[in-house]
Amino acid sequence: MIEKKSLDLLKTLIGFDTTSFKSNLNLIKFIENYLNQYKIKSELIYDETKNKANLFATIGPNSSGGIVLSGHTDVVPVANQKWDTDPFQLIEKDQKLYGRGTSDMKSFIGLVLSRVPKIVEKKLSKPIHLAFSYDEEIGCVGVHGLLDLIEKKSIKPEFCIVGEPTSMEVVIGHKGKHAYSVKVEGLACHSGQAPFGVNAINYASKLIAYIDQLNKEKSINGPFDNDYEVPHTTLHTGLIKGGAILNIVPDLCEFEFEVRNLIKDDPLQLVKKIEDYASQKLIKDMHKVSSKTGISFNEKVNYPALDMSEDIDLVKKIKELLGNNKHKKVVYGTEAGLFKNRSNIPTIVCGPGSIDQAHKPNEFISIEQINRCSKFLDNLIDSH
Ligand SMILES: [Zn+2]
């Protein structure tokens, strides 16, 4: 059984199509109005287009300390996925709730909102802040505006919980990510005259092989953190396009690669190695044929790793409230690394639903997870 108030809120949130490339304002306005009913003021932080916004709201005193409950409002696209039901309509079936964002991560937001009356009733001595972002799914882009605001307020929250789907387990670490697109510009000519041209695909493949070599070195030499399923930093190329037809030496090849780093590793040092290899080795060779050729890098995503000690009081307290003494580190990134590293707020990730269902067709969350999260939030509020 799921509480009616929670179910109604989840239905409403899932009903807003907040795919990252679309506006999230209808959802944000809904939350603003909802909080207004309880006399809670929201601050909206818009993006440049004014089509998207973060929402920040404080319940309780305007003082330092307290906690931040945080989540992103955007979801990944449903295009090219085969869904059995309308992804933007919450469907309850076999003790599960189906819909885009049920796991990742509108259920957490809905459940936090369902507890607002309870929080308001309790005369808080320390604040509870709500922080809801946009554009997380395209690389933790939107949350920076939210962090600017929190830093400006100098409210120094004691800690933050990011409610990404962890099956309600405590996540104390995740890797950072730096992703780049690379443009290799060569010189076209008839393939029969190949030595007079600069083959962009060949040079791209040399650079990709070098990235893979760095990846191998990381897997052999580390550093390692055995709490992770993949215990070392990884480098990976995931997208490539180039060439027009076989009998032309291609003048353009573009690809994308990423570094997913442990906190002990400096991702920019690895990126510098790659850039140095391009400039000191490859571009030199390319320029022997034509100085108009080149290789350029464009940063696409950049967020830091999260690493919280399991020994600090916050982690112990959350485990106690959950009644679960375990913790883990995960391979996917979240905004938690930014809360911790940019704004210096101790942060863990803990939320309902499984990452296994996130981003997939027929995304769902089990009602058992909903109820576990509800109970956790009640315990958290009671202990606050
Ligand atoms: Zn997410």
Side-chain angles (χ1 to χ4, degrees):
M1 269 296 283
I2 171 167
E3 297 158 27
K4 186 171 180 312
K5 186 174 181 67
S6 303
L7 186 64
D8 288 346
L9 282 161
L10 296 194
K11 267 187 189 155
T12 305
L13 295 182
I14 297 296
F16 295 113
D17 176 358
T18 52
T19 309
S20 305
F21 65 85
K22 294 185 177 173
S23 170
N24 74 338
L25 289 186
N26 288 339
L27 179 147
I28 289 290
K29 293 281 180 198
F30 167 78
I31 296 178
E32 185 182 28
N33 286 334
Y34 175 84
L35 294 175
N36 250 332
Q37 292 170 30
Y38 299 97
K39 310 219 169 354
I40 301 160
K41 268 204 246 114
S42 302
E43 287 178 74
L44 305 193
I45 308 115
Y46 288 88
D47 75 341
E48 292 153 12
T49 67
K50 301 258 183 280
N51 266 323
K52 297 176 188 178
N54 298 307
L55 184 148
F56 184 79
T58 297
I59 313 174
N62 233 330
S63 60
S64 277
I67 60 178
V68 182
L69 299 174
S70 171
H72 63 81
T73 61
D74 59 323
V75 294
V76 294
V78 294
N80 302 320
Q81 292 189 340
K82 257 193 94 165
W83 282 72
D84 298 331
T85 58
D86 178 352
F88 298 106
Q89 198 191 332
L90 191 78
I91 304 283
E92 189 177 351
K93 204 184 141 205
D94 303 331
Q95 295 298 304
K96 289 172 187 152
L97 303 175
Y98 288 87
R100 172 56 88 223
T102 45
S103 265
D104 188 9
M105 55 171 291
K106 287 179 172 173
S107 292
F108 179 77
I109 295 176
L111 293 175
V112 166
L113 293 178
S114 78
R115 264 47 192 175
V116 165
K118 183 183 162 106
I119 301 174
V120 169
E121 240 170 66
K122 196 173 173 209
K123 296 275 169 279
L124 296 176
S125 57
K126 286 181 290 184
I128 293 181
H129 307 285
L130 310 183
F132 303 137
S133 68
Y134 64 88
D135 278 357
E136 188 273 346
E137 294 290 3
I138 58 170
C140 301
V141 175
V143 73
H144 284 277
L146 207 45
L147 296 174
D148 288 341
L149 180 76
I150 293 174
E151 287 166 24
K152 205 173 75 194
K153 284 176 174 287
S154 49
I155 44 177
K156 304 229 177 310
E158 271 166 85
F159 68 91
C160 170
I161 298 173
V162 175
E164 291 273 7
T166 66
S167 306
M168 291 310 296
E169 287 182 32
V170 176
V171 165
I172 59 169
H174 64 66
K175 292 181 180 177
K177 178 175 170 182
H178 280 69
Y180 292 80
S181 66
V182 181
K183 194 172 178 183
V184 181
E185 291 174 285
L187 179 69
C189 68
H190 189 286
S191 60
Q193 299 169 313
F196 304 145
V198 177
N199 188 318
I201 292 178
N202 282 354
Y203 280 98
S205 65
K206 284 176 199 189
L207 196 51
I208 290 167
Y210 181 70
I211 292 167
D212 192 41
Q213 184 191 320
L214 292 179
N215 180 58
K216 277 206 188 77
E217 284 170 16
K218 279 287 146 200
S219 72
I220 295 164
N221 302 325
F224 299 103
D225 180 343
N226 287 317
D227 283 348
Y228 284 99
E229 182 187 4
V230 179
H232 52 84
T233 295
T234 55
L235 296 96
H236 145 96
T237 301
L239 189 73
I240 185 163
K241 62 175 194 269
I245 190 168
L246 184 59
N247 62 9
I248 299 176
V249 170
D251 63 354
L252 184 64
C253 184
E254 291 171 289
F255 69 92
E256 292 182 15
F257 76 93
E258 64 172 29
V259 181
R260 287 188 185 257
N261 67 289
L262 296 179
I263 198 113
K264 309 173 194 176
D265 245 330
D266 180 0
L268 293 180
Q269 213 182 329
L270 287 161
V271 173
K272 176 143 193 328
K273 272 189 172 180
I274 296 164
E275 285 175 332
D276 285 351
Y277 183 78
S279 63
Q280 284 159 28
K281 177 93 183 69
L282 302 181
I283 296 176
K284 269 191 187 155
D285 283 354
M286 295 163 83
H287 281 186
K288 283 177 193 160
V289 180
S290 166
S291 62
K292 287 189 181 123
T293 59
I295 300 174
S296 54
F297 292 74
N298 186 18
E299 186 186 84
K300 296 202 73 174
V301 173
N302 151 14
Y303 60 75
L306 171 72
D307 190 41
M308 294 288 302
S309 161
E310 59 184 275
D311 299 321
I312 65 166
D313 286 345
L314 152 68
V315 174
K316 288 181 187 159
K317 179 184 167 178
I318 300 290
K319 284 178 175 177
E320 219 169 90
L321 294 175
L322 284 166
N324 182 351
N325 206 25
K326 279 189 290 196
H327 62 259
K328 60 183 179 184
K329 296 182 183 175
V330 295
V331 291
Y332 54 90
T334 77
E335 295 168 339
L338 283 164
F339 274 95
K340 169 75 169 55
N341 293 296
R342 219 205 94 161
S343 302
N344 207 15
I345 303 169
T347 302
I348 57 135
V349 189
C350 182
S354 163
I355 198 70
D356 296 341
Q357 269 86 53
H359 300 197
K360 289 190 183 148
N362 300 322
E363 178 180 346
F364 69 84
I365 188 163
S366 71
I367 289 179
E368 180 262 344
Q369 283 289 308
I370 298 277
N371 291 337
R372 271 175 71 180
C373 182
S374 305
K375 189 155 171 272
F376 166 69
L377 289 172
D378 287 339
N379 290 345
L380 182 71
I381 296 161
D382 290 341
S383 76
H384 191 67

